[in-house]
């Protein structure tokens, strides 16, 4: 289209996203995949990130968990490439509450999703085009049928989808809101009620 309409490339973005039925067929056959951790709640983020800057906003999330009284009840797994110097800093801060897993195959990332209670998606940007960003592996998150915890601006497309289709929980990107969301997730898991956040989901993916 940009070849036919001058300037269109500056006014539009092409987003290619979905999930692979073939990839999930292989994962679904592994019936033994489940959450296995001494922590009350396992939260996983899949995808590339930088904890020092950028719109993914993960440093705000980590700070909120680090300062929360519930820190010892949570295991946050960050799956994807990250500068090694950042790993040392956050390992010292959070100890056993955080686990860094380097780049893995797509198949393996799907397994990690199924071995999680909650899947995290976080993005914060005031740019108009950012509203429609579906970060990380959002459609795989939906297909995994785990609770999705969205953190970002209220009008972000992924936040609207989580609310509209009952996919999980949404929190604003500030310490108070993230801490409140974390408390709600931990309490639901401890009471064996976490699935209530997705039990009425209007999306049924095969």
């Amino acid at each position: 289209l940009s070849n036919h309409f001058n300037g269109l490339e500056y006014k539009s973005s092409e987003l290619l996203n979905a999930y692979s039925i073939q990839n999930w067929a292989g994962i679904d056959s592994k019936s033994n995949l489940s959450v296995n951790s001494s922590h009350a709640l396992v939260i996983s983020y899949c995808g590339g990130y930088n904890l020092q800057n950028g719109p993914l906003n993960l440093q705000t999330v980590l700070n909120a968990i680090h300062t929360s009284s519930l820190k010892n009840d949570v295991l946050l797994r960050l799956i994807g490439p990250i500068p090694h110097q950042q790993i040392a800093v956050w390992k010292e801060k959070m100890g056993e509450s955080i686990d860094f897993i380097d780049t893995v195959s797509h198949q393996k990332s799907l397994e990690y999703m199924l071995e999680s209670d909650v899947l995290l998606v976080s993005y914060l940007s005031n740019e108009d085009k950012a509203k429609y960003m579906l970060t990380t592996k959002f459609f795989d998150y939906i297909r995994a049928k785990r609770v999705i915890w969205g953190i970002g601006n209220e009008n972000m497309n992924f936040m609207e989808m989580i609310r509209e289709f009952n996919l999980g929980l949404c929190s604003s990107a500030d310490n108070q809101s993230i801490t409140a969301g974390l408390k709600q997730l931990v309490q639901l898991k401890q009471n064996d009620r976490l699935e209530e956040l997705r039990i009425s989901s209007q999306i049924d993916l095969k």
Side-chain angles (χ1 to χ4, degrees), residues 72-106:
N72 293 332
D73 294 316
V74 175
L75 172 62
L76 176 62
R77 296 192 305 192
L78 300 180
I79 304 163
I82 178 177
H84 290 286
Q85 63 269 26
Q86 296 181 24
I87 294 178
V89 171
W90 283 100
K91 259 299 186 183
E92 184 176 352
K93 283 185 177 182
M94 298 183 65
E96 297 300 316
S97 296
I98 194 167
D99 188 15
F100 292 96
I101 300 171
D102 208 343
T103 304
V104 297
S105 68
H106 183 66

Side-chain angles (χ1 to χ4, degrees), residues 1-9:
L1 287 176
S2 61
N3 292 332
H4 297 280
F5 298 97
N6 292 332
L8 182 63
E9 65 271 22

Side-chain angles (χ1 to χ4, degrees), residues 16-146:
L16 302 177
N17 220 331
Y19 75 92
S20 167
I21 294 176
Q22 182 178 2
N23 286 342
W24 274 102
I27 298 301
D28 288 336
S29 64
K30 299 182 178 181
S31 58
N32 62 328
L33 292 176
S34 61
V35 180
N36 182 18
S37 173
S38 59
H39 294 78
L41 186 74
V42 178
I43 303 172
S44 294
Y45 173 91
C46 300
Y49 56 93
N50 187 315
L51 296 180
Q52 292 182 334
N53 51 51
L56 293 180
N57 200 43
L58 286 179
Q59 184 163 274
T60 303
V61 179
L62 265 65
N63 279 325
I65 295 176
H66 170 60
T67 57
S68 170
S69 61
L70 299 170
K71 181 180 73 171
N72 293 332
D73 294 316
V74 175
L75 172 62
L76 176 62
R77 296 192 305 192
L78 300 180
I79 304 163
I82 178 177
H84 290 286
Q85 63 269 26
Q86 296 181 24
I87 294 178
V89 171
W90 283 100
K91 259 299 186 183
E92 184 176 352
K93 283 185 177 182
M94 298 183 65
E96 297 300 316
S97 296
I98 194 167
D99 188 15
F100 292 96
I101 300 171
D102 208 343
T103 304
V104 297
S105 68
H106 183 66
Q107 293 287 104
K108 187 63 179 178
S109 72
L110 301 183
E111 294 182 17
Y112 278 124
M113 290 179 197
L114 293 181
E115 294 169 352
S116 306
D117 296 302
V118 175
L119 298 172
L120 173 67
V121 53
S122 177
Y123 199 89
L124 185 65
S125 174
N126 293 319
E127 295 184 11
D128 289 340
K129 66 179 181 179
K131 173 182 177 180
Y132 302 100
M133 292 295 293
L134 294 176
T135 65
T136 66
K137 304 180 185 301
F138 189 73
F139 288 98
D140 281 319
Y141 279 12
I142 297 174
R143 179 58 179 78
K145 301 180 181 180
R146 296 295 187 262

